[in-house]
Amino acid sequence: MRRIKSLNQKINTVLVLLALGASHPVLAQKSDPNMGIVPAPVSVSKGKGAFKFTPETIVLVDSPNHKAIKFFKEYLRKAGLATSVTDMSTVDKKRMSLTNTVYLNMTFSDEMRPEGYELNIDGDGIELRGHGAGMFYGIQTLIQLIEPGSKGYATIPCGKVRDFPRFPYRGMHLDVARHFFDVAFIKKYIDVMAMYKLNNFHWHLTDDQGWRVEIKKYPKLTEVGSKRAQTRVGRESGPTATGMFDNTPYGGFYTQEEVYEIVNYAAARYINVIPEIDLPGHTMAMIAAYPELSCDKSKTYQVGEKWGVYDDFVCPTEETFKVLFEVLNEVMDMFPSKYIHIGGDECSKVAWKRSQVCRDIIAEKKLMNEEGLQSYFVSRIAKHVQSQQRQVIGWDEILEGGLAEGAVVMSWRGTKGGIAAAQLGHDVIMTPGSGGMYFDHVQSKSPQEPLSIGGFAPLDKTYNYEPVPSVLNKAQQKHIIGVQANLWTEYIATPGKVEYMLLPRMLAMAETGWTPTQIRDYKDFANDRLPHQLALLDNLGYNYRVPVAIGAVDTTMKGSKFTVVLEPSVEGAKVHYTIDGTEPSATDLIYSAPLEFKIPEGSTVTLKTIVVTPSGKTSVSTTAKMQN
Ligand code: TNX
């Protein structure tokens, strides 16, 4: 009797409850209102059945030479679907039947929101309407819905999608200064941005540790500034810092020709490329190449080998301004972007405080102090950029000592800077480290995560970030033009690790930038749509962080009876587990049905799980201790 009572009392439902949101894969698909699409569209109505794409399917277009259509043609070619695309103007409209047709319509007259599209799929055919970027985004949605069959065949589930973005600016940043990534990889990065409807690539091209863009008038910027003698090994600071260097020369830069190639490649995918020339701090590489631009010309400077903030950087003299204006002119020639990023972050002011030249400038220009000098510096640079009909973007430090007119602020040190700038009537891009927008931050607390700068930005934190601060009034809120995530690469030396840190968090950020707040739902995103997207990314050859199994927990639970319901976090992947406390691997037991545990009194069963994808990617392990 006593036994039974204690059993009843101790039946533990924690895991079962946790697993309730994670139903069986097939059910999950059915319960997802968004047809699996990421970012979730504004409105979706799911239909019955599917359109069958066959070798006889006619792809009809009214603007055959438009770049969005060219992109789709290239997709079809690679996917082995539809050998030809028919130009609308060549068909007899009276005799035309719209069965078994995919019609990409850019010449309709309906009103549509900027970058918006409408996609209608039924058993007879597909019609996609949209102008320019809208057509391109509709194509991205359509591609996500295509389930490939045997060669020449595919199915596309029926439904109607009406869609447009929440914010005009949806950005992804990449630091190529701390570590360099080649043109092929930059294109791959742009490809995955385009899949998820991001439209601005913020290219962090210069920093203390490397100058990565060819400037013809100042060749030493790359001859000297793109190379460092060695690189820090392990962490820069903290208890695990090694204090060591790798003793290996490192370098790399993009020629102007390569820059044009990237800019055009991105433009074909409706992505604007914003170059960042980080000024006045983070310029060790520049003064290593041209010491005459520093405040102490008697010193020799080296391209940075360690991470962090340096004492030395450019001196705000007329000579420096002349060089910087010419550098920026070449940059503006290469990049058609209306936005030019001029940095402004983490200027230590140490070199300026030591410098008589700076004291003289402060006196001459009647500035308050070194902060005033930074503000003076930024506004001179901003004026120059604006004189060429461009807008400047700067990190939120550009607010200090007065914001240059017309400057756009990137709020990275939390949201304070963004709020202040919006209140002053400036446009703002939200990218706060505290909001999960720093993709160099670690994705879980597991010791199995790779070396990183620290911080903590798990997927749900990134997903749940709300970019529009409620303290702003309606008019001020309009100045929040979008969101961006930043990927700094001090601790990220390889493309595989860039992808690991980028994915899947970039998909969460893309949804924040695109999807109306009322529709955003982390569970639907992570449990019902992400597994399919990750399988797609796997097929395309991307690395990503495999989320732990849906329903798996890291905790200790008391009870005598447990039912554990799990689901792989990636479509087609398997959950492997152990119950003896050892680390699971791909040769351990495979989860196939709910696990029932009866825990004898006085004992503990340790359930450890991992997810392994068909391509061999593995999640970190989870550990659930069940104690009675
Ligand atoms: C701060 S964010 C920096 C970068 C570092 C980053 C590391 C910003 C504008 N400056 O120089 O790489 O932190 O998370």
Side-chain angles (χ1 to χ4, degrees), residues 142-403:
L142 178 57
I143 290 174
Q144 284 190 18
L145 293 172
I146 294 177
E147 294 161 18
S150 54
K151 195 171 157 41
Y153 293 83
T155 53
I156 301 150
C158 293
K160 283 190 202 310
V161 178
R162 194 176 58 87
D163 205 9
F164 56 88
R166 179 178 177 200
F167 293 107
Y169 185 104
R170 304 174 303 278
M172 190 63 227
H173 154 287
L174 182 65
D175 168 11
V176 296
R178 275 55 176 272
H179 284 100
F180 176 74
F181 302 95
D182 68 12
V183 169
F185 181 71
I186 301 297
K187 288 183 178 172
K188 194 179 177 197
Y189 199 80
I190 286 169
D191 286 341
V192 74
M193 287 177 59
M195 278 175 73
Y196 297 101
K197 307 184 174 82
L198 299 178
N199 63 359
N200 279 282
F201 171 46
H202 172 173
W203 207 3
H204 185 78
L205 286 164
T206 70
D207 214 303
D208 297 308
Q209 298 83 0
W211 183 283
R212 309 265 176 242
V213 56
E214 177 188 26
I215 302 294
K216 298 225 154 94
K217 196 146 195 184
Y218 295 97
K220 280 195 281 181
L221 285 172
T222 45
E223 278 165 22
V224 175
S226 75
K227 299 171 190 153
R228 59 179 181 253
Q230 55 183 358
T231 303
R232 168 66 81 217
V233 172
R235 290 191 51 89
E236 181 64 45
S237 56
T240 54
T242 63
M244 293 186 339
F245 293 92
D246 66 358
N247 206 14
T248 308
Y250 188 89
F253 69 92
Y254 309 98
T255 65
Q256 294 204 352
E257 226 166 280
E258 288 173 325
V259 168
Y260 285 118
E261 192 182 329
I262 293 292
V263 166
N264 291 334
Y265 188 86
R269 288 154 183 79
Y270 283 89
I271 292 174
N272 173 54
V273 185
I274 301 173
E276 180 184 352
I277 303 298
D278 201 350
L279 301 167
H282 290 290
T283 47
M284 279 297 285
M286 188 174 211
I287 59 175
Y290 294 98
E292 56 270 34
L293 305 181
S294 72
C295 286
D296 185 349
K297 299 179 177 58
S298 68
K299 275 172 79 170
T300 54
Y301 300 95
Q302 280 171 342
V303 179
E305 297 167 4
K306 58 184 187 64
W307 317 126
V309 175
Y310 284 78
D311 289 348
D312 291 305
F313 44 91
V314 291
C315 210
T317 60
E318 289 311 309
E319 187 185 1
T320 301
F321 283 121
K322 177 179 173 285
V323 173
L324 291 178
F325 291 168
E326 286 170 347
V327 166
L328 286 165
N329 288 348
E330 277 196 38
V331 169
M332 287 187 274
D333 284 345
M334 279 182 269
F335 292 91
S337 171
K338 89 170 167 184
Y339 296 121
I340 302 292
H341 203 306
I342 58 167
D345 61 315
E346 299 180 322
C347 176
S348 71
K349 323 259 179 3
V350 175
W352 288 0
K353 285 185 182 151
R354 288 185 190 138
S355 154
Q356 186 55 47
V357 178
C358 289
R359 280 191 288 273
D360 293 347
I361 300 172
I362 289 171
E364 186 203 320
K365 308 281 176 199
K366 301 196 171 57
L367 305 169
M368 291 286 284
N369 47 24
E370 285 74 19
E371 273 67 41
L373 190 53
Q374 150 120 352
S375 165
Y376 158 80
F377 180 96
V378 170
S379 64
R380 289 254 332 237
I381 297 287
K383 280 210 184 82
H384 179 76
V385 170
Q386 287 159 346
S387 75
Q388 323 267 315
Q389 283 68 51
R390 309 295 182 98
Q391 262 178 289
V392 291
I393 304 183
W395 299 110
D396 57 47
E397 286 93 333
I398 66 168
L399 276 153
E400 293 161 8
L403 192 51

Side-chain angles (χ1 to χ4, degrees), residues 178 207 282 345-346 395 412 438 440-441 453 488 490:
R178 275 55 176 272
D207 214 303
H282 290 290
D345 61 315
E346 299 180 322
W395 299 110
W412 73 277
Y438 266 50
D440 53 343
H441 290 180
I453 199 163
W488 302 99
E490 288 96 329

Side-chain angles (χ1 to χ4, degrees), residues 500-567:
Y500 181 92
M501 300 305 275
L502 183 73
L503 304 169
R505 287 184 292 194
M506 190 195 81
L507 281 65
M509 185 273 294
E511 189 146 309
T512 303
W514 183 281
T515 305
T517 315
Q518 322 81 269
I519 297 172
R520 270 161 60 203
D521 174 352
Y522 180 69
K523 274 226 157 95
D524 171 58
F525 168 76
N527 297 355
D528 294 349
R529 288 180 284 133
L530 195 55
H532 179 63
Q533 297 297 329
L534 292 176
L536 286 177
L537 291 169
D538 219 311
N539 283 337
L540 293 169
Y542 285 93
N543 191 27
Y544 53 86
R545 178 184 184 275
V546 177
V548 299
I550 298 165
V553 288
D554 270 300
T555 190
T556 299
M557 289 164 298
K558 305 266 183 227
S560 59
K561 204 175 163 216
F562 296 86
T563 303
V564 179
V565 181
L566 299 171
E567 202 186 306

